[in-house]
Amino acid sequence: MSVTDVPGFTAAGVTCGIKLSGKPDLAIVATADGAAVSAAGVFTSNKMTAAPVLVCREHLAATGGEATAVVLNSGNANAATGAQGMADARQMCQETAAALGVAPEQVLVCSTGLIGYALPMDAVSSGIMAAAQAITPQGGPQAAEAIMTTDTVPKQVVVAGDGFTVGGIAKGAAMLEPNMATMLAVLVTDAAADPDTLQQALRAGVAGTFNTLTVDGAESTNDTVLILANGQAGPIDPDALTQAIADACESLALQMADDAEGSTKTVFLRVTGAASDAEAAKAARDTANCQLVKCSWYGQDPYWGRIASEMGAAGVAFDHTKLTIAYGDHVVYQYGEPAHPPELAQYMTGRRLDLHVDLGMGDGSARIITTDLTHAYIDENMGTS
């Protein structure tokens, strides 16, 4: 279940020495025949934008939305690295292009890892050559492993559409609060779609999935989601393609949440009854990012007071006498009165929690996927990471 389960795509993942741990750290995903195909991307809105993001945008603009390959490294974000970082990102594309026999503008580039350190280009160059030589129609799992940083497991997906397939790999375990994408993900499909249609489908697919995921309220410098479509399956209904892309992104987003740094809970927070969708999203995100609420989840404590407090402080239409809060089927607060369902303690021991807050103020709704805050998260992030 990976990118290479889609007909017409190859991949590889290798170890080249970027990571001091000696774990795999460089990957290539490419069309099997070396042809340029429709491509699209969504990227971080962080103004501290990493060099690979800038180069991806340049290349998609230069080709009118086409690409042959994506080269990715982990262990070093190539962010906040100045002119040298831009040169290194372009060199990664040039060397990948030379190894595959394509034009540099047909290669997209992604990096993830430590911010503010120059790429060890000797290692990167050797990795690109090794990956190009190792590329295979079975190489998706190796590519998924090679893009991991603090992830504990690879993230992969395949979605079977009606006569077409979407496959993907992703990485991400923290800093997952984008406006455009979430960490790194590469999707591929054999559906036929022109670049504009593909861009629209990707944006729509990301909107309700990656864009609803927050682990710690931090937005990365490198967030990127790319998709390549080789058209081997022929024309596809755009709505079907959008849905398949959304399904793939949803799976990858949940895999990220379940593997978030130190997390013991994945929480699906749904806010309904808001004055507008925008107000529902604001209340949901504020609550999901509240450290007090997150700590309660880690302690398996359904402490509704912290949730009610965040909803009331979110700057949205609010009346505590119309508020309802429930974990799963267990109502803990309704219309100004607390409740104490006896089955709730057992429910809170689960890995995944459904939290529903109805504000009783209108028809607005939103969903956020989030996690708890644990000692292990602090241990992971109290140094350079």
Side-chain angles (χ1 to χ4, degrees), residues 117-304:
Y117 295 87
L119 278 169
M121 287 306 294
D122 287 345
V124 171
S125 296
S126 67
I128 289 172
M129 290 302 300
Q133 293 170 2
I135 205 163
T136 168
Q138 293 79 41
Q142 290 74 37
E145 183 180 1
I147 64 175
M148 293 165 55
T149 51
T150 59
D151 309 67
T152 65
V153 293
K155 283 82 176 174
Q156 306 176 79
V157 67
V158 172
V159 173
D162 184 9
F164 70 101
T165 307
V166 175
I169 60 174
K171 65 82 52 185
M175 289 187 75
L176 300 179
E177 187 178 48
N179 292 317
M180 298 298 289
T182 297
M183 299 306 291
L184 301 186
V186 177
L187 304 172
V188 298
T189 181
D190 55 355
D194 63 78
D196 287 342
T197 300
L198 193 62
Q199 184 71 50
Q200 292 173 12
L202 182 62
R203 285 191 182 278
V206 165
T209 58
F210 291 134
N211 279 6
T212 69
L213 176 61
T214 176
V215 168
D216 48 24
E219 182 183 354
S220 172
T221 55
N222 292 61
D223 294 340
T224 300
V225 178
L226 300 171
I227 186 167
L228 277 63
N230 65 19
Q232 290 188 11
I236 299 299
D237 176 68
D239 291 339
L241 178 59
T242 297
Q243 186 59 57
I245 291 172
D247 290 345
C249 292
E250 174 81 358
S251 174
L252 292 172
L254 294 182
Q255 291 177 56
M256 290 178 183
D258 285 342
D259 193 35
E261 289 176 351
S263 73
T264 67
K265 305 291 180 189
T266 300
V267 182
F268 301 85
L269 170 55
R270 184 164 55 101
V271 175
T272 59
S276 66
D277 290 346
E279 289 204 358
K282 175 66 163 56
R285 192 168 291 274
D286 284 7
T287 302
N289 286 333
C290 175
Q291 296 177 20
L292 290 174
V293 174
K294 287 179 172 293
C295 289
S296 293
W297 292 331
Y298 177 47
Q300 300 182 7
D301 186 343
Y303 187 23
W304 59 264

Side-chain angles (χ1 to χ4, degrees), residues 18-38:
I18 301 171
K19 294 177 180 174
L20 297 179
S21 65
K23 293 181 179 180
D25 48 17
L26 192 134
I28 294 176
V29 177
T31 58
D33 59 4
V37 300
S38 294

Side-chain angles (χ1 to χ4, degrees), residues 323-344:
L323 178 68
T324 301
I325 302 172
Y327 280 95
D329 296 328
H330 311 293
V331 175
V332 295
Y333 184 88
Q334 189 169 38
Y335 307 144
E337 299 292 338
H340 305 282
E343 305 88 355
L344 184 56

Side-chain angles (χ1 to χ4, degrees), residues 66-94:
E66 290 188 345
T68 301
V70 183
V71 57
L72 312 94
N73 76 270
S74 58
N76 186 309
N78 191 16
T81 46
Q84 185 61 52
M86 290 294 293
D88 290 343
R90 293 190 177 108
Q91 183 178 335
M92 288 180 67
C93 294
Q94 292 162 359

